[in-house]
Amino acid sequence: MNTLFHGIIGYTVTPFSGREGESLDLAALGQSIERLIDGGVQAIAPLGSTGEGAYLNDREWSQVAEFSLSHIGKRVPTIVSVSDLTTANAIRRARFAEEHGADAVMVLPAAYWKLSEAEILRHYQRIGDSIGIPIMLYNNPATSGTDMSVQLILRIVKAVENVTMVKESTGDIQRMHALQQLGEGQVPYYNGCNPLALEAFIAGATGWCTAAANLIPVLNQQLYRAVTGNDLERARELFYRQLPLLDFILKGGLPATVKAGLKLTGIDCGVPRAPVFPLDEVGCGKLKGLLDQLG
């Protein structure tokens, strides 16, 4: 079983400067990475949904990937999201990430047209054949429009040697139970739905992929330690304490809420890139109240 990635996997934002996020702000990216590392994350994942990877051009994507990997400097393991509409560009990104020191890549089968199971399988096969590092298969129908069944996921894991991990973000805990049972406990899976964190850990998730680590790293770590220490009463208390914020982050949109939260804590990462709106004044007030309550 792959054990390099476990615990709290923190997702970075991509900071922008300019009124509408015209330019990258790599200095702020460095600050946000340090905040995650100081917060004790067990791994970092640049360029996912939180990092607005889908809204970057190829040059920007490469700049953010190279800077992130260099700045992290192997202090913690890294998983770079390389998802793209085309297999060819996903391969290019995966190779770039590997060449610049990524420990793994994450792949979401994003597509304009609805993909068949054979097309999805081939997508992962071609990426897997192109690199020598592990792939985290990412199932998130809310962003990709493609919902991979547990049976398809396990078929891909069996067919593609370096697909060794699964991030499950449907918010359906039964998917995780099925992965555990049908995969016979041999396929590490990771929770990608913040409000499901406690249930996912109890169901056997190896880690929690979360943008919340940017804002409440101590609480996230305390929850993980309580679960791994089998102190479920403490874990429940910690989880329900942070649940209102986890719900708010999810419903408010990851880039908007996390960037607003980072600004409240002293790191200005700019605004999300259009068409995404920044968090409005009312939302910022609610977010500040939630953060204040958590200390």
Side-chain angles (χ1 to χ4, degrees):
M1 179 180 289
N2 187 305
T3 56
L4 176 62
F5 299 99
H6 65 92
I8 307 300
I9 301 172
Y11 277 71
T12 57
V13 297
T14 295
F16 298 120
S17 59
R19 186 174 179 180
E20 295 188 3
E22 297 89 350
S23 304
L24 297 176
D25 185 346
L26 297 180
L29 176 56
Q31 288 181 288
S32 68
I33 288 171
E34 289 304 316
R35 179 173 171 81
L36 286 170
I37 292 175
D38 290 345
V41 294
Q42 280 72 35
I44 291 179
L47 292 162
S49 302
T50 306
E52 300 177 79
Y55 297 147
L56 304 179
N57 61 40
D58 286 340
R59 178 184 57 80
E60 290 173 326
W61 187 95
S62 296
Q63 282 183 283
V64 172
E66 183 174 3
F67 178 89
S68 299
L69 292 167
S70 174
H71 193 90
I72 293 165
K74 295 291 185 180
R75 287 179 287 172
V76 294
T78 51
I79 309 173
V80 177
S81 176
V82 301
S83 305
D84 192 75
L85 285 173
T86 69
T87 300
N89 207 35
I91 288 172
R92 183 195 69 78
R93 290 179 169 185
R95 286 173 171 164
F96 186 94
E98 181 177 27
E99 289 166 4
H100 286 81
D103 296 291
V105 297
M106 184 173 68
V107 177
L108 180 78
Y112 178 84
W113 298 108
K114 184 174 176 60
L115 300 178
S116 68
E117 290 193 355
E119 288 167 332
I120 294 169
L121 173 59
R122 181 59 177 159
H123 182 66
Y124 281 97
Q125 285 176 322
R126 289 188 59 194
I127 297 169
D129 288 344
S130 301
I131 57 174
I133 56 177
I135 295 171
M136 175 181 277
L137 180 151
Y138 182 19
N139 188 41
N140 187 354
T143 56
S144 71
T146 299
D147 188 1
M148 292 180 281
S149 67
V150 171
Q151 290 76 13
L152 173 59
I153 289 170
L154 294 176
R155 181 182 166 200
I156 293 169
V157 169
K158 184 176 181 180
V160 186
E161 183 178 1
N162 48 348
V163 174
T164 60
M165 305 170 279
V166 176
K167 178 184 173 185
E168 171 55 52
S169 295
T170 59
D172 180 2
I173 192 64
Q174 297 306 318
R175 301 289 188 99
M176 296 189 190
H177 288 306
L179 280 168
Q180 178 80 346
Q181 293 169 353
L182 298 178
E184 299 179 343
Q186 298 303 305
V187 183
Y189 56 91
Y190 300 76
N191 173 50
C193 180
N194 282 339
L196 209 63
L198 179 60
E199 288 181 89
F201 274 131
I202 292 173
T206 302
W208 174 18
C209 302
T210 180
N214 291 281
L215 306 181
I216 50 170
V218 173
L219 280 172
N220 294 161
Q221 287 296 328
Q222 288 175 343
L223 172 60
Y224 178 56
R225 288 196 295 269
V227 171
T228 55
N230 203 32
D231 187 350
L232 295 186
E233 183 176 349
R234 172 69 170 155
R236 289 189 185 94
E237 185 274 325
L238 287 163
F239 173 70
Y240 286 111
R241 184 180 171 199
Q242 57 193 283
L243 182 58
L245 178 62
L246 298 178
D247 277 330
F248 184 85
I249 291 172
L250 180 64
K251 293 173 182 175
L254 298 177
T257 53
V258 174
K259 284 186 171 182
L262 283 170
K263 187 172 183 179
L264 288 169
T265 60
I267 302 176
D268 189 350
C269 292
V271 297
R273 182 160 279 179
V276 178
F277 286 161
L279 198 62
D280 62 21
E281 186 176 347
V282 173
C284 287
K286 177 70 179 296
L287 178 58
K288 184 178 186 303
L290 290 169
L291 290 172
D292 288 346
Q293 287 174 14
L294 294 174

